[in-house]
Amino acid sequence: MFACPVPLVILVTTLLSWTVQAQLDCPPQPDCTGSPLPFRRVDGSCNNPAYPSRGTPYRPYLRLVGAHYADGVSEPAHTESGVAMPNARKLSLALFGETEMEHPRHTLVSMQFGQLIAHDMSFTADADGIQCCAGGKMVPREQASSRCLPIEVATDDPVMSENGVECMNLVRTKTTLEDPCPQPEGNGGAAEQLSSVTAFLDLSVVYGNSLSQSNDLRSFTDGKLRVEQRHGKHWPPQHPNVTTKCDVESATDVCYLTGDERSNQSPHLTLLHMAFLLEHNRLAEELSGINAEWDDERLFQEARRINIAQYQSIVYYEWLPLYLGRNNMIAHGVLPETNTVDHVRDYDPDVDPSVSNAFATAAFRFFHNLIAGHLDLVEESMQPTGSIRLSDWLDKPALLEMDGKYEGLSRGMTTQPHDRPNFHLSPEVKHFLFRRGRPVGVDLKAIDIQRARDHGLASYNDYREHCGLPRVTGWEDFRELLRPVSAPLLPMQYTHVDDVELAVAGALERHDGDGMPGETFNCILLDQFRRTRVGDWFFFENGNTFTARQLHEIRKASMGRLLCDNTVGMTKMQRQAFFLVTESNPVVPCSELPAPNLVRWRS
C-alpha cells in the first residue's frame, strides 16, 4: 500500500510558518534616520546611510574574484582534471616546514596584535558543536552533518597517525544559502560565506557586535565596562558558559567574557583584550574628572570613541608599516602621501569597507607563520626566567591569575621576538594546536588550506590576474615568484599550474617591496586596509569625529604607552613596543612615553 500523502493545506501551512519564523528571526533593516550619528553604532549599521548594512555582522564577505566551486554553487573546487584537490594535511607537510627562527627586530606583541586585528574584522559564522571527526576518527558519512568538511590524515602521517588520529574536524562556514534572511544587496546563486562580526576597525573584540552584547559588557556606572577584582587587579567578567568556551575542569574555573568569543584562545591574546578593556575604563575615569556633568552614556561613548581612535592610529601608523611596508602603503592609498598634522579628508561613500573573503581566509593568515611556540616569562629586571608551551595553555586563561604569570607574560611579549616570516610554522600550531591534553592537536596550515576551499576561493592565478600581475603559465614561472626551496615542490603536489591555490602559493611567495608578504597577498592586504580606512565615515582622522586639537592628541597614542597604562607592574618599556630593545630603541620609564592629553575633551 502507498503511504497517505501529506494534505496540501498542511504542507502549505507548515512552509508559511517556517517563512514567518525566518522573518521573525531576521534582524530588521537598520533605521538611519538622523544619520550620521555622533557615535558609531556597536553593530556597525548606518556608517553609510546609503548602504546601511555594509560592515554589519552576518553579512557576506566581499568577493574580489568570483567564487570557484565544482558545481558552481557550493561544492569545493576540483582540479582541472576533475579529481579532488590534494589533501590539505599532505600539502602542509610537504610544502611548509616547522623550524622556529627568531625575527631579528620585531617583538611577539606585534604578531599578537595582528591576531587581535584579524578577530576585530572577521569571524566565520560556524556551527558550534558539530562533530565531523570525533576523537580523531571520522564520523560515518550517513551520520555526519552536511556542514562537514573534515581533513583526512594519512596512515603514514609522521606525527598524527602514530597517535591514532585519522582526521581533523572542520565544519563549513554558514553561507547565504543557509541564511533565511535576505541580504540587502543580493548574493546571486553561489554560496557566500557570512562573517559574524563588524567589518570595521572598531574594537568589536572589546565592545561586542550588537547592542545586547555590548550591554552585557557594560557596568552602566561612570561609563565603564564590567570588571571583577581579584589578586589586586581588574579582570574581565566571568563567562556565563565557562565549560563550552574554555578548556576547564569545572564551571567555576576562570574563563573571561569579552566582546569576542576567541579572547581566551592564548595568554597573550587575552592580555591584549584586557589592555583595551582597562584602557576604556581609564579613559572613562579621566573624562569623568574633566566633565563632571557627563552622564554614564556620554562617558561610555566618548571613552569608546577615543579608545577606538587610538587603536586605529596604532594599526595604521605603528603596526601596518612593519608588515606591509610604508612605501607600499603610500603607493596604494592606504596611507596619505605625506605626513600631515591635519585631517585626512578622503572618506569615500562609494568605497565598500566589507572584508574580502580572500583577505580573511588567505592573505591575512600569512601571519600564522610568525607564531612562537613557547612564551617567555620575564622578570622586572627584563631577564627571562623560563617559558611556557603555547599548546599547554590554549583556552586556559586561568594561567594569568597564577603567581607572577600575568606580569611575566606581559613583559615577555614585549621583549621576545616572534618567528621569521617564512614558510615555516611552529610545531605547536602545525601538530599540537588545541590538543586539550591529548598527545596531538590540529594543523593550522592544513585548516587554512581547507577553509579556503570551503569558501570557494579562486585559484592563485585568478587572484594574480585580478591584481594586474602576470598569470603563471608554466612551473618554471614559480622560480621567480616563490622562495627557492618551495618552487620545485609544487609540481610534486599539483598536476596543473591553474590548480595551485591562493592559500598555498600566496604564503610561499618572496616578499614584495618593503613588506613581508609576497606581491599577490600584498595586493589583497593593501586593498583591504585602504577600503577599511576610506570607507569608514567614523575613521579617526577623516574630520568627522575629532577636532584638529583632539586629533593631535590621538596621534600620540602608542602600543607601548597603552600597555604601560593598563598592565599592573609595568613601569618601563622600550619606546617602540613592536621592536626589540636596542640602543636606538631603549627601555625608558613609562612616564617618558607620550600620552594623549584629554583636556582637549573638556566640554
Side-chain angles (χ1 to χ4, degrees):
M1 297 178 63
F2 293 102
C4 180
V6 177
L8 182 60
V9 66
I10 295 177
L11 181 60
V12 171
T13 302
T14 302
L15 290 173
L16 283 174
S17 69
W18 288 345
T19 302
V20 170
Q21 184 59 47
Q23 291 173 345
L24 290 174
D25 292 340
C26 292
Q29 287 301 303
D31 179 6
C32 298
T33 304
S35 292
L37 301 172
F39 303 106
R40 70 166 75 231
R41 297 186 182 185
V42 72
D43 67 353
S45 63
C46 297
N47 189 294
N48 182 343
Y51 303 98
S53 295
R54 276 186 178 172
T56 60
Y58 292 98
R59 290 267 295 143
Y61 289 102
L62 184 72
R63 289 279 181 191
L64 302 179
V65 178
H68 183 34
Y69 296 115
D71 61 355
V73 179
S74 65
E75 183 183 351
H78 296 166
T79 66
E80 290 290 304
S81 61
V83 300
M85 297 293 283
N87 176 272
R89 169 67 174 173
K90 288 185 176 180
L91 287 172
S92 173
L93 291 171
L95 299 174
F96 296 90
E98 51 190 81
T99 302
E100 295 192 60
M101 293 171 274
E102 294 182 344
H103 195 280
R105 295 181 300 277
H106 298 164
T107 58
L108 196 51
V109 72
S110 58
M111 180 284 298
Q112 195 58 72
F113 188 58
Q115 186 182 24
L116 187 84
I117 295 168
H119 288 186
D120 189 28
M121 297 175 72
S122 166
F123 190 10
T124 54
D126 294 320
D128 291 337
I130 293 179
Q131 288 296 315
C132 311
C133 173
K137 309 297 180 185
M138 197 74 75
V139 173
R141 184 180 297 273
E142 62 274 11
Q143 299 175 19
S145 166
S146 60
R147 299 275 299 281
C148 283
L149 192 65
I151 302 168
E152 293 185 25
V153 173
T155 56
D156 61 350
D157 189 283
V159 176
M160 294 192 178
S161 64
E162 291 185 1
N163 292 279
V165 174
E166 299 174 357
C167 57
M168 289 179 275
N169 199 57
L170 191 137
V171 180
R172 301 197 67 176
T173 301
K174 187 176 182 181
T175 74
T176 49
L177 300 184
E178 301 156 275
D179 184 20
C181 303
Q183 295 297 334
E185 296 167 49
N187 54 270
E192 298 292 351
Q193 288 71 30
L194 304 176
S195 175
S196 60
V197 300
T198 64
F200 301 104
L201 285 170
D202 59 359
L203 282 179
S204 61
V205 292
V206 173
Y207 300 105
N209 294 277
S210 68
L211 186 59
S212 61
Q213 188 182 15
S214 178
N215 287 344
D216 285 344
L217 298 167
R218 292 178 60 176
S219 69
F220 289 99
T221 302
D222 299 328
K224 294 184 178 181
L225 293 165
R226 290 169 54 201
V227 292
E228 297 176 358
Q229 188 163 359
R230 291 186 296 277
H231 323 302
K233 301 180 183 70
H234 285 150
W235 307 92
Q238 182 78 339
H239 202 290
N241 300 311
V242 172
T243 54
T244 60
K245 298 303 178 184
C246 290
D247 183 10
V248 296
E249 296 181 359
S250 76
T252 59
D253 288 346
V254 172
C255 182
Y256 301 127
L257 176 69
T258 70
D260 190 276
E261 292 183 6
R262 299 160 289 183
S263 61
N264 297 289
Q265 273 187 359
S266 72
H268 285 172
L269 179 62
T270 306
L271 286 172
L272 288 187
H273 272 267
M274 290 177 59
F276 281 100
L277 160 64
L278 297 176
E279 175 68 359
H280 172 93
N281 285 354
R282 189 192 70 80
L283 291 167
E285 185 168 343
E286 190 169 343
L287 288 169
S288 178
I290 295 171
N291 298 289
E293 73 281 8
W294 284 6
D295 62 10
D296 169 74
E297 185 66 20
R298 178 74 184 272
L299 289 168
F300 173 80
Q301 295 295 352
E302 294 285 1
R304 173 173 171 256
R305 175 156 61 181
I306 297 169
N307 202 13
I308 293 171
Q310 293 180 152
Y311 162 68
Q312 289 178 339
S313 182
I314 293 169
V315 170
Y316 276 83
Y317 290 95
E318 190 177 0
W319 186 81
L320 274 177
L322 302 184
Y323 296 103
L324 299 188
R326 180 173 179 80
N327 292 335
N328 287 343
M329 293 173 69
I330 292 173
H332 289 81
V334 182
L335 287 180
E337 292 186 8
T338 57
N339 289 329
T340 177
V341 296
D342 299 321
H343 293 99
V344 180
R345 300 184 185 277
D346 59 355
Y347 167 70
D348 187 344
D350 293 326
V351 169
D352 187 348
S354 301
V355 171
S356 78
N357 215 322
F359 171 88
T361 315
F364 210 32
R365 299 189 182 206
F366 167 84
F367 302 100
H368 284 166
N369 60 14
L370 308 183
I371 297 171
H374 291 76
L375 312 182
D376 286 351
L377 296 162
V378 175
E379 290 290 328
E380 191 171 2
S381 64
M382 295 299 181
Q383 295 301 310
T385 59
S387 65
I388 63 167
R389 184 179 176 185
L390 179 63
S391 66
D392 282 342
W393 295 101
L394 297 175
D395 291 324
K396 291 184 176 181
L399 169 72
L400 299 177
E401 300 195 27
M402 298 178 183
D403 276 349
K405 297 297 189 296
Y406 169 89
E407 293 85 354
L409 286 166
S410 295
R411 296 188 197 98
M413 73 176 178
T414 60
T415 55
Q416 178 185 353
H418 64 57
D419 271 17
R420 286 180 180 267
N422 52 30
F423 60 94
H424 292 267
L425 286 88
S426 167
E428 287 293 281
V429 298
K430 191 168 181 182
H431 307 302
F432 307 109
L433 185 69
F434 299 126
R435 61 190 180 91
R436 294 190 170 230
R438 298 183 294 271
V440 296
V442 296
D443 177 353
L444 182 58
K445 177 51 65 175
I447 289 173
D448 287 349
I449 295 168
Q450 193 83 334
R451 182 64 72 192
R453 294 171 179 176
D454 167 32
H455 284 219
L457 292 193
S459 70
Y460 173 69
N461 251 345
D462 289 339
Y463 277 97
R464 285 187 63 79
E465 183 175 0
H466 165 77
C467 291
L469 302 168
R471 292 180 70 93
V472 173
T473 58
W475 294 113
E476 65 280 0
D477 293 348
F478 282 109
R479 296 183 182 275
E480 298 298 320
L481 298 173
L482 308 188
R483 300 172 189 277
V485 70
S486 303
L489 300 176
L490 277 184
M492 300 179 188
Q493 305 300 321
Y494 296 95
T495 57
H496 195 285
V497 293
D498 285 334
D499 292 333
V500 178
E501 299 162 273
L502 177 68
V504 174
L508 297 173
E509 286 183 329
R510 302 170 190 257
H511 74 89
D512 175 47
D514 59 343
M516 285 189 187
E519 59 185 4
T520 310
F521 270 7
N522 240 0
C523 161
I524 297 167
L525 292 165
L526 290 164
D527 162 78
Q528 183 62 61
F529 283 109
R530 185 192 71 84
R531 290 187 294 102
T532 297
R533 183 178 69 81
V534 302
D536 180 5
W537 192 90
F538 289 99
F539 194 78
F540 82 100
E541 60 182 1
N542 66 11
N544 295 325
T545 49
F546 297 107
T547 67
R549 289 185 174 183
Q550 289 172 340
L551 181 61
H552 175 73
E553 298 302 323
I554 292 293
R555 286 179 169 146
K556 295 178 183 177
S558 68
M559 178 54 69
R561 185 63 197 234
L562 182 127
L563 292 174
C564 275
D565 284 342
N566 300 289
T567 307
V568 175
M570 188 82 75
T571 59
K572 52 189 177 181
M573 173 75 64
Q574 64 266 39
R575 292 191 179 277
Q576 295 178 292
F578 292 141
F579 287 92
L580 294 169
V581 176
T582 61
E583 288 186 6
S584 61
N585 188 35
V587 173
V588 298
C590 286
S591 60
E592 291 188 15
L593 300 178
N597 186 347
L598 299 192
V599 72
R600 299 300 184 190
W601 278 262
R602 189 185 305 277
S603 61

